[in-house]
Amino acid sequence: MAWLSSGSSNAGLIKNLASNGLITSERVKNAMLSVDRAHYAPYAPYTDSPQTIGYSATISAPHMHAHALESLLPYLHPTARVLDIGSGSGYLTAVLAALIGPQGHVVGIDHIQGLVDLATSNMQKSEQGREWLKSGRVKLVKGDGRKGFKEDGVEGWDAIHVGAAAKEAHAVLIEQLRRPGRLFIPVGEGSQYIWVIDKKEDGSVVREKSFGVRYVPLTDAPPEEGE
Ligand code: SAH
């Protein structure tokens, strides 16, 4: 049960996630230890539950972050290119950055400018986060994540994480995967399930339906002031 993993410090939370089997690898454990959740969750940062961050968005629960990271881990090599769609607080974007090397690259995309700004200021709270933004290891952008994201001169993503529930596993996201590459995406209206979709070396696509979840939906952007 989720509450079992809460802690009174970042280290305590992660220790409990590990002892409850929600974190299984040392790499994920060390990466989560290196990013203080208090920089991203406005209150009760070490409680194992989602929390509101404004703009009808939530930072996902620590056990969901752990699960997504464990799932994507085989694709998070030192030079990996990673896309975090619905980056919200920026927490997962930061842990993804910790899991790749200086030659890797993570783009966090959110369709609300206020949340892109929030993620940027959250990341700037640590020396490590400031360095990632400065070096370009992390880029935080505004855009509609349902279209994925393309950067000049670079082909595809090793890993794509989607942090909001999609109506479907958008074909364009699968197109933007490298061979091999993995997409982790909650799908469904009403009942939602995590889907883990792999593109193999030969370009074939394997889809696996995993467990039931509750995420905020991936939607059209709300109108901005003045629109
Ligand atoms: N991974 C984030 C989750 C934030 S909640 C975290 O743990 O902090 C989901 C996020 O998806 C919200 O920030 C919301 O603004 C964003 N979102 C919803 N629809 C979107 C879309 N079409 N494109 C990009 N971001 C979207």
Side-chain angles (χ1 to χ4, degrees), residues 58-60 65 86-89 110-111 115 143-146 163 216 218-219:
T58 56
I59 175 170
S60 300
H65 285 146
S87 45
S89 66
D110 205 287
H111 65 169
L115 287 171
D144 185 351
R146 293 170 296 189
V216 300
L218 204 59
T219 59

Side-chain angles (χ1 to χ4, degrees), residues 165-168 185-195 209-215 217:
K167 288 188 181 154
E168 57 183 298
I185 182 168
V187 180
E189 295 170 280
S191 37
Q192 306 170 354
Y193 290 87
I194 294 294
W195 284 78
K209 186 179 182 183
S210 194
F211 53 90
V213 286
R214 273 179 82 105
Y215 278 72

Side-chain angles (χ1 to χ4, degrees), residues 169-213:
H170 299 285
V172 67
L173 300 183
I174 300 169
E175 264 161 43
Q176 288 183 20
L177 283 177
R178 277 181 166 167
R179 307 176 179 195
R182 175 168 288 179
L183 168 63
F184 180 99
I185 182 168
V187 180
E189 295 170 280
S191 37
Q192 306 170 354
Y193 290 87
I194 294 294
W195 284 78
V196 177
I197 302 177
D198 287 349
K199 191 188 270 185
K200 306 282 184 194
E201 267 103 348
D202 65 3
S204 61
V205 174
V206 177
R207 298 160 189 261
E208 191 184 304
K209 186 179 182 183
S210 194
F211 53 90
V213 286

Side-chain angles (χ1 to χ4, degrees), residues 49-117:
S49 65
Q51 291 182 27
T52 178
I53 52 171
Y55 306 91
S56 308
T58 56
I59 175 170
S60 300
H63 67 272
M64 273 315 306
H65 285 146
H67 186 83
L69 293 163
E70 290 286 351
S71 172
L72 292 171
L73 190 63
Y75 297 80
L76 304 175
H77 50 77
T79 59
R81 289 175 32 80
V82 185
L83 182 62
D84 182 23
I85 297 175
S87 45
S89 66
Y91 173 79
L92 198 75
T93 319
V95 184
L96 287 164
L99 278 161
I100 58 169
Q103 305 308 317
H105 184 48
V106 184
V107 174
I109 182 167
D110 205 287
H111 65 169
I112 297 177
Q113 185 62 47
L115 287 171
V116 177
D117 296 343

Side-chain angles (χ1 to χ4, degrees), residues 10 13-15 17-18 21-35 62-76 91-92 94-96 98-100:
N10 201 50
L13 166 68
I14 285 145
K15 183 169 163 276
L17 286 166
L22 296 155
I23 297 175
T24 53
S25 75
E26 282 299 302
R27 280 183 67 202
V28 168
K29 190 172 159 187
N30 290 335
M32 288 180 77
L33 280 171
S34 75
V35 178
H63 67 272
M64 273 315 306
H65 285 146
H67 186 83
L69 293 163
E70 290 286 351
S71 172
L72 292 171
L73 190 63
Y75 297 80
L76 304 175
Y91 173 79
L92 198 75
V95 184
L96 287 164
L99 278 161
I100 58 169

